[in-house]
Structures are given as C-alpha cells and as structure tokens.
Amino acid sequence: TDAYDTILVERKGRTALLTLNRPNALNALNALNLQVMNEVVAATEALDRDPDVGCIVLTGSAKAFAAGADIKEMRPQSYLDMYLSDWFTAWDRLGQLRTPTVAAVAGYALGGGCELAMLCDILLAADTAVFGQPEIKLGVIPGIGGSQRLTRAVGKAKAMELCLTGRTMDAAEAERAGLVSRVVPADELLGEALAVAETVAGMSLPVAMMAKEAVARAFETTLAEGVRFERRLFHAVFATADQKEGMSAFIDKRPPHFTHR
Ligand code: CO8
C-alpha cells in the first residue's frame, strides 16, 4: 500500500501480508537495520489502527526470515550511540500490537530474526527454518528480548544452550521444543500462514484482540492474576454483538457473520 524501501505490504481481504524485502546485496538474508525496524513498526502500527485488518502475517524470503541485526551497521557503535539512539527498542512495539500477528518463517531466523518471530503471536515454520540466538559468537548477547522470550518458549535447558553456544535448532527441534506451533513443507508455508490468518481475521476482531491479550498476559503475571484478568475479559465479551451473533449462529446451525462490534 504505502511506499516502503525494505518491506512489501499487501492486503488480501481482512489479512495483511508484510514481507521483509531488503533491496540490496543482503536481500535474501534480510539483515535487520534501523530502517527495516522503522518501516515494519510504522507499517504494522498503521495496519493495527485499520479496523478492516483482522490479522497481520510477517514473512521473509525462502532463504531467510531474517538473519539478525545488521552486523555491519552495529560494529562501529559505542555504548552511548546505542543508548542515545535507543537502538532497536522500537521493535518492542511489535509486541504491543492489538491485532493478532503470524510469523511465517522459512530459512534463517537468527538473532534479531528469531526475536522478531517470537514477537509475533502465532509462529509457523517451514521445514527449512533454522532458529537460534548466535549473538554470543559475535561477542554480544540478544538485545530484542531473545534471552527472555526464548526461555519462556522452550525452557531453561535449551535456551541456555542456544544462548551460550550459539547452536541453532532446525524446524523439527523448534516444534518439539514448543517454539513454533506447526511445521509445514516450505512451498506450503505462505499459503498455510495466510489460511491461518484468514481464519483469525474471520473471527470477531475485538474478541480476537481479547483472546490475544489474555494469552499474552500469561507471560506477564501470576496464574491467579492471569485468571482474574481472563475472567474480566470473559465477562466483557458479553457486551459485544458478536457474542450474540456467534452463539445464535451456532444454535441456528449457520456460519456466523461477525460485525466486529
Ligand atoms: N548482518 C549483516 N550482514 C550479514 C548478516 C547480518 N546479520 N548475515 C549475513 N550477512 C552478510 C554476510 O556478511 C555476507 O556478506 P558479503 O556478501 O558482503 O560477504 C552475505 O550476507 C551472505 O552471507 P553468507 O556468505 O554468510 O551466507 P551463508 O548462506 O553462507 O550463511 C548465515 C548464512 C548462516 C545466515 C550467515 O550469514 C550467518 O551466520 N549470519 C550471521 C547470523 C547472526 O549472527 N545473526 C545475529 C546477529 S546479532 C543480532 O541479531 C543482535 C540483535 C540484537 C540487537 C539489539 C540492539 C539493541
């Protein structure tokens, strides 16, 4: 839709597809620099404000979802450069979107690329996917939440090994470890991701937002507080027209026509 240099944005019904597409020599590896970050964040926040968008899919190339932050751009930075420019903090806003997001990962998802995938709500992998936090090999550590989100996704044992040795996981290991919801053949990845997105986008948008909020809260709080938060949202959905429509459609044995109200 809008003109971006490092991403492509397409709309398919109520689904938006955002493809990382760095135009230069690195394009197939999608190294993440500040421009990519600013464009992804600006594009997704605009889509998030659009009531006609019910799900956002984020994908890369066949070779790489993203091979991490741009090492050439990072090398000369000082502590103050990083601190004052608040390097890469804007990626956090991707995790704050209200619209559900799907990461469709083929090839390398390393460092910032793995962290970017983990900022999305649903993570689908091609059988070619390779996940890892290899920052340690460059003399740094994950900086976009990798040490926290990977640990919550796969547990301490694997997260420690991956972050301390830089070893990568293939798609099958990532699925066994609980990092991804499903692995599909590479040539079916995008179709499958768009199908999942279309399913989500077909639900009531405010109710899907609340479901997302409720699951996300599990990573932020205690079980008792999380259950109380869920209960409030559960009560709140009865204020929507879509609750009446969804239950009426079930009882009438017809498909629901959600109005996202
Ligand atoms: N940044 C910049 N350039 C890169 C990157 C990268 N992340 N990855 C690859 N490239 C470049 C290579 O230097 C090479 O350039 P050139 O053609 O000029 O020599 C070109 O892309 C092709 O790369 P390869 O020849 O290595 O391609 P292969 O297919 O052999 O290997 C790999 C692909 C496995 C992806 C390999 O390139 C690799 O290991 N890349 C580095 C992966 C990595 O370490 N990622 C983590 C980066 S650090 C990070 O993400 C920290 C995030 C937190 C920052 C937060 C700041 C606050």
Side-chain angles (χ1 to χ4, degrees), residues 26 29 31 63 67-72 87-88 108 111-112 134-135 138 143:
L26 293 175
L29 289 177
K63 187 161 185 212
D70 192 322
I71 297 164
K72 291 163 188 166
W87 253 61
F88 282 7
Y108 299 110
E135 287 90 342
L138 301 167

Side-chain angles (χ1 to χ4, degrees), residues 40-108:
V40 169
V41 171
T44 51
E45 286 186 335
L47 293 166
D48 199 37
R49 288 189 294 270
D50 185 339
D52 293 329
V53 174
C55 192
I56 301 169
V57 177
L58 186 59
T59 197
S61 68
K63 187 161 185 212
F65 178 71
D70 192 322
I71 297 164
K72 291 163 188 166
E73 199 179 70
M74 273 188 296
R75 181 173 65 169
Q77 306 293 325
S78 70
Y79 168 79
L80 264 189
D81 293 335
M82 300 296 265
Y83 181 79
L84 290 174
S85 64
D86 207 8
W87 253 61
F88 282 7
T89 296
W91 277 127
D92 295 345
R93 280 153 51 195
L94 201 60
Q96 308 293 324
L97 299 176
R98 305 185 78 198
T99 310
T101 54
V102 178
V105 176
Y108 299 110

Side-chain angles (χ1 to χ4, degrees), residues 199-237:
T199 300
V200 174
M203 305 301 176
S204 166
L205 180 58
V207 178
M209 285 172 166
M210 289 186 212
K212 165 176 173 159
E213 261 192 284
V215 175
R217 188 56 69 101
F219 293 93
E220 307 279 351
T221 191
T222 63
L223 179 62
E225 283 305 323
V227 169
R228 272 194 280 274
F229 180 74
E230 179 200 75
R231 191 68 32 82
R232 286 284 178 262
L233 289 176
F234 177 76
H235 294 157
V237 296

